[in-house]
Amino acid sequence: MELLFSQYQYSCHKRVLYKRDELIVLKRNQTLLLEYFLLNPNDIHSKDDILDVVWQNKVVSEQVVFQTISQLRAIFGEQSIKTYSKKGYKWQYPVTKGEVNDPLLPPQNIAKNKKSPYVLYTAISSVFILLILLLASQWQTPSPQISLHLAVNDHVSDSRSKLQPSDINALSNHALFSVKTVVVPESNQQHFLSPQQAWKSAQLPQQSWLIWGDIYPSEQGVFLHYGLSKNARHWQGYTFGETAETAMLALREQLNRLHDLKFFSTSKPIRLAELQTMHTSAPSNEEVTLLLAKHLIHAKQPDIAMVHLDKLLDNEGYAQKAYRAQAQWLIGMIYKMRKQHQQSAHRLTLMSKELKQTSLWPLQHDYINTSAWLHYEQGNIAAMFRVLEEAITLTKQQQEPLAQFEFHMLYSILAKKVDNTVKQYAQLNKAQALLIEHNLSDSNKAIVYFHFALFTEDNALALPYLKRILNIPRTASNYWVLDHALEMLVTYYIEVRDFESAHALFDGAIKQPAQLLLKARVLLAQDLIDDARPLLKEAFNKARLTHNKPASLNSALALYQLAYSTPEIKREYLAFLQTNGSQQWLEQHGVTSAIALEN
């Protein structure tokens, strides 16, 4: 039977699709789902019905339905399949039946070519092309497998259930991936905090990926929190299943989707443009949507991020709790950044409700951390200390030494901010004791040394701590400490006019805008203006490209102050400062009067 719709013709017997006289190659699941829609175009089909017809007895997650429907929409247009909330999906194009013996050409082409002497030639050519395609599918060289190395550790203080070699059969028995194990010294929680450092410490071959995961049994099933890393490229997400085995199968499906989205094809860091492309290809993928929202927030586009986060909140079901909780948290963070504390507190309350029936400790950690900072910003000091003390008690009960260390450090930071010296030093000492007792990663020592440096009254006494910080591996959780330590060292060496030591801090090529600014500061202190100016311009351009607002403002201010001989350029930098700097920043840096004079 031949089914005709729009500009297409589908053969149920041969399971091939043509657009006019062009063969459209579909994957197996795309073909079965399309055929199901075309044979039942007037019905609304639930996800369960689609799973039964297309995937039959295979155990897969509902996400594969969303993905395959998205793929068909990409071929036939977004309007081809309509979504009915809580009901299912319905085919939109009118479908008519052709004769069994009709050639695979639309009716208008049949009429046009009915008396053409080239009809036979065209038919033979089409069959020949189809034969070549079928043979090519048999001859093509299979793409190389992606090498995954499962991180296995015997970290005695890490009490959580972890992915073990016995859990990876679902990944190993797959054509796309080969899975081995690698013994690593650090806990999975440390890997989530510093994935790039985890990959480096595993000493894997250059093209291999590190994978790790923690298992969280909850009220209605099992959540699996997993991470992937290859050098500077990393990913993390959650899958869910009624058992650990089905959660692993859901992980395999998600890795398949990431493979289809070309995630494994490079080791470069993920950028906003790449995520936007991935989201266009897979608009229903929660992990892509969530990471896209995070990058949009970083790119100072919070309102667009909230649109995507609201879509995540529309996803119902227990399995989606991890993503709804993260969406509520990110919306709360946006409100917090805007100083809209009441709205932020409301979103954190909603996040807490999502987490009540789960054991998702990483998300509870984010909730506690943000709540403590929110109480501080609102001036609720007693509530702030109470939240932190409850968190430390909880981490002790759950035997989470790294999380306990982090809360002691946060307690110390906030105590310093409210001038409670007793609590400040007590919490810092407890954090240091945990580092030694549990042999936590050296990357965590950066913040301890930084506080010792801040507590010293003599800047010269802080030098040993600051120098040690710069030798600590840079991670996603401690990078700001390393940046502050470098700035403090540069400032000190400029004050004492030890320029040789200041230049020695910049080893190799300088890429970060903040480091370019510091290097320029040293050169300006030496009155080497011509050497400093190109560094400031590079910092200004890179800061704008990476949405680093502080670095872009500071570099623009320095360039404005140096452009004394070119008033046109001076006005351009002044216009940038006026557009991007807050009133408080402009007044603090003496720019307000210059703007008034210019206007």
Side-chain angles (χ1 to χ4, degrees):
M1 181 170 59
E2 314 301 330
L3 301 175
L4 311 176
F5 63 95
S6 185
Q7 306 173 50
Y8 299 89
Q9 186 165 343
Y10 176 77
S11 168
C12 295
H13 174 65
K14 299 179 180 178
R15 282 186 168 162
V16 292
L17 175 72
Y18 276 82
K19 182 178 182 181
R20 295 190 178 92
D21 56 351
E22 177 189 356
L23 176 68
I24 306 298
V25 180
L26 298 177
K27 296 180 180 178
R28 174 188 176 277
N29 293 339
Q30 294 170 347
T31 302
L32 295 178
L33 182 55
L34 174 63
E35 183 174 297
Y36 183 45
F37 278 136
L38 296 180
L39 291 174
N40 307 277
N42 299 319
D43 299 332
I44 297 175
H45 307 288
S46 68
K47 291 192 290 289
D48 290 338
D49 290 341
I50 292 173
L51 285 168
D52 289 342
V53 171
V54 179
W55 285 271
Q56 298 176 356
N57 296 323
K58 293 182 180 179
V59 180
V60 296
S61 69
E62 293 181 351
Q63 185 66 33
V64 299
V65 176
F66 306 145
Q67 181 187 10
T68 309
I69 286 175
S70 296
Q71 292 167 352
L72 291 183
R73 283 172 173 161
I75 296 170
F76 303 115
E78 286 292 324
Q79 72 280 6
S80 60
I81 303 170
K82 184 176 180 179
T83 301
Y84 289 82
S85 179
K86 300 181 182 179
K87 293 182 180 180
Y89 306 90
K90 183 175 180 293
W91 184 255
Q92 295 300 296
Y93 289 127
V95 180
T96 58
K97 295 180 181 179
E99 296 298 327
V100 175
N101 295 324
D102 283 352
L104 286 175
L105 289 170
Q108 61 267 31
N109 282 353
I110 295 173
K112 186 186 299 183
N113 294 318
K114 194 169 184 180
K115 297 181 180 180
S116 169
Y118 300 103
V119 170
L120 182 60
Y121 172 77
T122 303
I124 294 173
S125 298
S126 299
V127 172
F128 182 69
I129 292 171
L130 181 59
L131 180 61
I132 290 176
L133 289 172
L134 290 172
L135 291 174
S137 67
Q138 300 295 321
W139 291 339
Q140 64 182 1
T141 303
S143 56
Q145 286 185 313
I146 296 163
S147 176
L148 301 176
H149 284 72
L150 176 68
V152 178
N153 64 69
D154 300 320
H155 204 70
V156 293
S157 58
D158 186 8
S159 61
R160 188 180 302 110
S161 298
K162 303 181 290 291
L163 287 182
Q164 299 292 342
S166 57
D167 297 323
I168 61 176
N169 291 331
L171 295 179
S172 299
N173 300 328
H174 197 283
L176 293 178
F177 305 103
S178 65
V179 187
K180 301 177 182 178
T181 59
V182 59
V183 178
V184 293
E186 296 172 342
S187 68
N188 285 346
Q189 189 181 358
Q190 187 68 52
H191 297 337
F192 284 115
L193 289 174
S194 48
Q196 184 173 358
Q197 182 61 31
W199 184 84
K200 289 181 179 178
S201 63
Q203 298 182 338
L204 299 178
Q206 196 66 29
Q207 296 304 315
S208 296
W209 291 80
L210 186 69
I211 183 170
W212 64 93
D214 288 331
I215 297 171
Y216 296 91
S218 295
E219 187 180 74
Q220 296 184 26
V222 174
F223 286 98
L224 171 58
H225 185 202
Y226 76 94
L228 291 163
S229 180
K230 186 171 81 168
N231 203 357
R233 191 172 181 83
H234 46 86
W235 189 276
Q236 63 170 291
Y238 291 86
T239 64
F240 178 81
E242 293 183 0
T243 65
E245 290 75 16
T246 54
M248 276 298 302
L249 290 172
L251 171 60
R252 184 177 73 176
E253 292 301 322
Q254 177 59 6
L255 293 181
N256 290 346
R257 290 190 286 272
L258 290 176
H259 177 271
D260 292 341
L261 293 170
K262 311 299 182 186
F263 170 77
F264 295 102
S265 62
T266 178
S267 58
K268 294 180 180 179
I270 295 176
R271 303 296 186 195
L272 177 58
E274 180 186 357
L275 282 168
Q276 289 170 328
T277 301
M278 293 171 73
H279 184 260
T280 301
S281 300
S284 300
N285 190 306
E286 293 96 338
E287 292 178 12
V288 173
T289 303
L290 188 71
L291 193 57
L292 174 59
K294 289 180 179 179
H295 275 66
L296 286 167
I297 293 171
H298 179 71
K300 311 299 182 188
Q301 301 180 50
D303 290 314
I304 300 176
M306 289 179 76
V307 173
H308 294 294
L309 295 171
D310 283 336
K311 289 182 180 178
L312 289 177
L313 296 178
D314 291 337
N315 295 335
E316 299 179 355
Y318 190 91
Q320 308 302 321
K321 275 185 172 291
Y323 291 101
R324 291 199 301 271
Q326 290 178 91
Q328 297 287 14
W329 175 64
L330 286 173
I331 295 172
M333 290 290 287
I334 291 172
Y335 284 130
K336 179 176 171 291
M337 289 187 292
R338 292 173 171 173
K339 306 299 181 185
Q340 296 170 322
H341 295 142
Q342 189 172 356
Q343 295 93 321
S344 179
H346 173 63
R347 290 295 181 166
L348 289 177
T349 300
L350 295 177
M351 178 188 185
S352 178
K353 289 180 180 179
E354 291 287 359
L355 295 175
K356 268 188 177 178
Q357 298 175 338
T358 74
S359 58
L360 290 169
W361 170 248
L363 303 185
Q364 292 172 354
H365 180 284
D366 291 337
Y367 165 77
I368 293 167
N369 191 305
T370 308
S371 296
W373 277 105
L374 187 59
H375 284 311
Y376 164 73
E377 292 181 11
Q378 293 178 294
N380 300 329
I381 307 307
M384 176 189 78
F385 284 140
R386 184 177 65 252
V387 166
L388 290 168
E389 286 161 3
E390 290 173 355
I392 290 170
T393 300
L394 181 63
T395 55
K396 286 180 180 178
Q397 293 171 350
Q398 296 191 351
Q399 298 180 0
E400 297 280 356
L402 182 53
Q404 187 181 341
F405 163 80
E406 290 178 330
F407 284 130
H408 280 306
M409 289 305 309
L410 178 59
Y411 203 140
S412 179
I413 291 169
L414 292 175
K416 184 179 188 302
K417 286 183 173 291
V418 298
D419 296 323
N420 191 323
T421 308
V422 175
K423 289 183 181 292
Q424 168 189 332
Y425 281 103
Q427 297 298 323
L428 181 63
N429 289 331
K430 289 178 181 179
Q432 188 180 23
L434 279 168
L435 277 177
I436 298 170
E437 180 183 355
H438 294 279
N439 194 27
L440 298 180
S441 169
D442 285 347
S443 63
N444 300 294
K445 295 177 181 177
I447 193 168
V448 175
Y449 294 147
F450 186 60
H451 274 69
F452 281 129
L454 292 178
F455 296 162
T456 57
E457 297 181 0
D458 185 346
N459 288 338
L461 295 176
L463 292 183
Y465 296 117
L466 297 175
K467 290 178 179 177
R468 291 192 70 175
I469 289 172
L470 296 186
N471 291 322
I472 287 173
R474 187 182 184 90
T475 70
S477 57
N478 72 9
Y479 70 92
W480 64 273
V481 180
L482 274 67
D483 290 344
H484 277 291
L486 179 62
E487 184 177 2
M488 290 174 68
L489 279 169
V490 168
T491 301
Y492 174 79
Y493 287 134
I494 289 176
E495 288 175 354
V496 300
R497 301 193 66 78
D498 184 357
F499 299 121
E500 183 179 352
S501 296
H503 285 296
L505 295 172
F506 302 96
D507 185 20
I510 307 173
K511 297 180 180 179
Q512 301 298 326
Q515 294 180 1
L516 290 164
L517 269 171
L518 289 174
K519 178 76 171 179
R521 275 184 57 192
V522 179
L523 294 169
L524 289 173
Q526 296 176 273
D527 292 326
L528 301 174
I529 295 174
D530 290 338
D531 292 333
R533 187 179 282 109
L535 291 180
L536 290 171
K537 288 182 178 178
E538 186 179 356
F540 181 55
N541 291 330
K542 284 190 173 182
R544 287 184 294 170
L545 287 172
T546 57
H547 307 285
N548 187 333
K549 190 172 183 179
S552 64
L553 287 171
N554 288 323
S555 54
L557 178 61
L559 288 165
Y560 164 75
Q561 293 167 341
L562 291 178
Y564 50 83
S565 61
T566 49
E568 294 82 5
I569 295 177
K570 193 178 182 80
R571 279 194 291 269
E572 289 181 4
Y573 288 125
L574 188 62
F576 177 85
L577 295 170
Q578 183 179 5
T579 304
N580 295 278
S582 66
Q583 188 64 31
Q584 181 182 357
W585 189 92
L586 296 172
E587 291 176 358
Q588 181 183 351
H589 292 83
V591 185
T592 308
S593 57
I595 293 173
L597 184 64
E598 186 67 30
N599 294 333

